[in-house]
């Protein structure tokens, strides 16, 4: 999954991703940030 994420992030930054996928991918990225794991020592 990490490889898929990295490849799609690179495609997004390079402008090669299709416009209908860009919005969906950005929503997915927002969701990832919302549920990001936290270090137990923070």
């Amino acid at each position: 999954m990490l490889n898929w994420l990295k490849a799609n992030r690179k495609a997004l930054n390079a402008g090669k991703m299709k416009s209908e996928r860009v919005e969906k991918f950005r929503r997915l990225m927002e969701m990832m940030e919302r549920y990001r794991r936290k270090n137990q020592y923070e």
Side-chain angles (χ1 to χ4, degrees), residues 3-15:
N3 289 338
W4 176 86
L5 180 66
K6 286 173 141 182
N8 281 291
R9 202 180 286 159
K10 282 183 181 180
L12 177 68
N13 291 338

Side-chain angles (χ1 to χ4, degrees), residues 18-42:
K18 294 179 182 178
S19 60
E20 60 268 8
R21 291 189 67 193
V22 169
E23 182 58 35
K24 291 178 184 178
F25 189 70
R26 289 203 174 152
R27 278 193 275 147
L28 180 64
M29 297 286 283
E30 288 173 10
M31 189 184 305
M32 284 175 28
E33 283 301 315
R34 219 178 325 148
Y35 297 110
R36 188 177 186 128
R37 288 175 44 184
K38 293 187 179 179
N39 187 337
Q40 64 180 342
Y41 298 109
E42 284 183 4

